[in-house]
PDB file of all heavy atoms in Angstrom:
ATOM      1  N   ARG A  71     113.652 107.228 104.194  1.00  0.00           N
ATOM      2  CA  ARG A  71     114.102 108.560 104.624  1.00  0.00           C
ATOM      3  C   ARG A  71     112.970 109.409 105.189  1.00  0.00           C
ATOM      4  O   ARG A  71     113.226 110.311 105.986  1.00  0.00           O
ATOM      5  CB  ARG A  71     114.772 109.284 103.462  1.00  0.00           C
ATOM      6  CG  ARG A  71     116.075 108.579 103.071  1.00  0.00           C
ATOM      7  CD  ARG A  71     116.906 109.382 102.173  1.00  0.00           C
ATOM      8  NE  ARG A  71     117.468 110.494 102.936  1.00  0.00           N
ATOM      9  CZ  ARG A  71     118.034 111.539 102.390  1.00  0.00           C
ATOM     10  NH1 ARG A  71     118.123 111.637 101.095  1.00  0.00           N
ATOM     11  NH2 ARG A  71     118.516 112.511 103.136  1.00  0.00           N
ATOM     12  N   THR A  72     111.734 109.144 104.773  1.00  0.00           N
ATOM     13  CA  THR A  72     110.622 109.979 105.241  1.00  0.00           C
ATOM     14  C   THR A  72     109.783 109.312 106.330  1.00  0.00           C
ATOM     15  O   THR A  72     108.864 109.935 106.856  1.00  0.00           O
ATOM     16  CB  THR A  72     109.693 110.362 104.067  1.00  0.00           C
ATOM     17  OG1 THR A  72     109.130 109.172 103.505  1.00  0.00           O
ATOM     18  CG2 THR A  72     110.439 111.147 103.003  1.00  0.00           C
ATOM     19  N   ALA A  73     110.085 108.072 106.659  1.00  0.00           N
ATOM     20  CA  ALA A  73     109.251 107.308 107.600  1.00  0.00           C
ATOM     21  C   ALA A  73     109.122 107.982 108.960  1.00  0.00           C
ATOM     22  O   ALA A  73     108.024 108.033 109.527  1.00  0.00           O
ATOM     23  CB  ALA A  73     109.802 105.895 107.764  1.00  0.00           C
ATOM     24  N   ALA A  74     110.208 108.515 109.501  1.00  0.00           N
ATOM     25  CA  ALA A  74     110.173 109.094 110.851  1.00  0.00           C
ATOM     26  C   ALA A  74     109.236 110.297 110.944  1.00  0.00           C
ATOM     27  O   ALA A  74     108.618 110.518 111.982  1.00  0.00           O
ATOM     28  CB  ALA A  74     111.578 109.483 111.283  1.00  0.00           C
ATOM     29  N   ALA A  75     109.119 111.048 109.872  1.00  0.00           N
ATOM     30  CA  ALA A  75     108.300 112.257 109.898  1.00  0.00           C
ATOM     31  C   ALA A  75     106.924 112.047 109.266  1.00  0.00           C
ATOM     32  O   ALA A  75     106.182 112.999 109.096  1.00  0.00           O
ATOM     33  CB  ALA A  75     109.031 113.380 109.157  1.00  0.00           C
ATOM     34  N   SER A  76     106.590 110.821 108.912  1.00  0.00           N
ATOM     35  CA  SER A  76     105.332 110.552 108.212  1.00  0.00           C
ATOM     36  C   SER A  76     104.197 110.212 109.166  1.00  0.00           C
ATOM     37  O   SER A  76     104.410 109.648 110.228  1.00  0.00           O
ATOM     38  CB  SER A  76     105.524 109.389 107.231  1.00  0.00           C
ATOM     39  OG  SER A  76     106.396 109.752 106.199  1.00  0.00           O
ATOM     40  N   THR A  77     102.995 110.532 108.719  1.00  0.00           N
ATOM     41  CA  THR A  77     101.795 110.140 109.454  1.00  0.00           C
ATOM     42  C   THR A  77     101.516 108.657 109.193  1.00  0.00           C
ATOM     43  O   THR A  77     102.088 108.069 108.273  1.00  0.00           O
ATOM     44  CB  THR A  77     100.582 110.955 108.983  1.00  0.00           C
ATOM     45  OG1 THR A  77     100.346 110.640 107.599  1.00  0.00           O
ATOM     46  CG2 THR A  77     100.805 112.453 109.153  1.00  0.00           C
ATOM     47  N   ASN A  78     100.626 108.069 109.970  1.00  0.00           N
ATOM     48  CA  ASN A  78     100.262 106.672 109.746  1.00  0.00           C
ATOM     49  C   ASN A  78      99.665 106.463 108.358  1.00  0.00           C
ATOM     50  O   ASN A  78      99.922 105.452 107.711  1.00  0.00           O
ATOM     51  CB  ASN A  78      99.292 106.185 110.820  1.00  0.00           C
ATOM     52  CG  ASN A  78      99.979 105.981 112.152  1.00  0.00           C
ATOM     53  OD1 ASN A  78     101.197 105.848 112.231  1.00  0.00           O
ATOM     54  ND2 ASN A  78      99.194 105.972 113.212  1.00  0.00           N
ATOM     55  N   GLY A  79      98.865 107.406 107.905  1.00  0.00           N
ATOM     56  CA  GLY A  79      98.267 107.307 106.570  1.00  0.00           C
ATOM     57  C   GLY A  79      99.316 107.321 105.477  1.00  0.00           C
ATOM     58  O   GLY A  79      99.246 106.561 104.516  1.00  0.00           O
ATOM     59  N   ARG A  80     100.290 108.192 105.632  1.00  0.00           N
ATOM     60  CA  ARG A  80     101.366 108.278 104.641  1.00  0.00           C
ATOM     61  C   ARG A  80     102.221 107.017 104.680  1.00  0.00           C
ATOM     62  O   ARG A  80     102.649 106.517 103.642  1.00  0.00           O
ATOM     63  CB  ARG A  80     102.210 109.519 104.898  1.00  0.00           C
ATOM     64  CG  ARG A  80     103.158 109.838 103.773  1.00  0.00           C
ATOM     65  CD  ARG A  80     103.699 111.266 103.952  1.00  0.00           C
ATOM     66  NE  ARG A  80     104.696 111.583 102.984  1.00  0.00           N
ATOM     67  CZ  ARG A  80     104.443 112.062 101.780  1.00  0.00           C
ATOM     68  NH1 ARG A  80     103.193 112.273 101.416  1.00  0.00           N
ATOM     69  NH2 ARG A  80     105.419 112.332 100.938  1.00  0.00           N
ATOM     70  N   LEU A  81     102.467 106.471 105.861  1.00  0.00           N
ATOM     71  CA  LEU A  81     103.224 105.225 105.978  1.00  0.00           C
ATOM     72  C   LEU A  81     102.478 104.075 105.305  1.00  0.00           C
ATOM     73  O   LEU A  81     103.080 103.243 104.629  1.00  0.00           O
ATOM     74  CB  LEU A  81     103.507 104.900 107.441  1.00  0.00           C
ATOM     75  CG  LEU A  81     104.534 105.788 108.138  1.00  0.00           C
ATOM     76  CD1 LEU A  81     104.594 105.452 109.625  1.00  0.00           C
ATOM     77  CD2 LEU A  81     105.904 105.647 107.495  1.00  0.00           C
ATOM     78  N   ALA A  82     101.176 104.019 105.493  1.00  0.00           N
ATOM     79  CA  ALA A  82     100.372 102.981 104.847  1.00  0.00           C
ATOM     80  C   ALA A  82     100.432 103.124 103.327  1.00  0.00           C
ATOM     81  O   ALA A  82     100.565 102.127 102.603  1.00  0.00           O
ATOM     82  CB  ALA A  82      98.926 103.045 105.333  1.00  0.00           C
ATOM     83  N   ALA A  83     100.356 104.353 102.851  1.00  0.00           N
ATOM     84  CA  ALA A  83     100.434 104.601 101.408  1.00  0.00           C
ATOM     85  C   ALA A  83     101.787 104.160 100.857  1.00  0.00           C
ATOM     86  O   ALA A  83     101.863 103.507  99.810  1.00  0.00           O
ATOM     87  CB  ALA A  83     100.193 106.086 101.118  1.00  0.00           C
TER      88      ALA A  83
END
Side-chain angles (χ1 to χ4, degrees):
R71 294 193 71 194
T72 62
S76 293
T77 63
N78 287 340
R80 192 166 175 86
L81 289 173

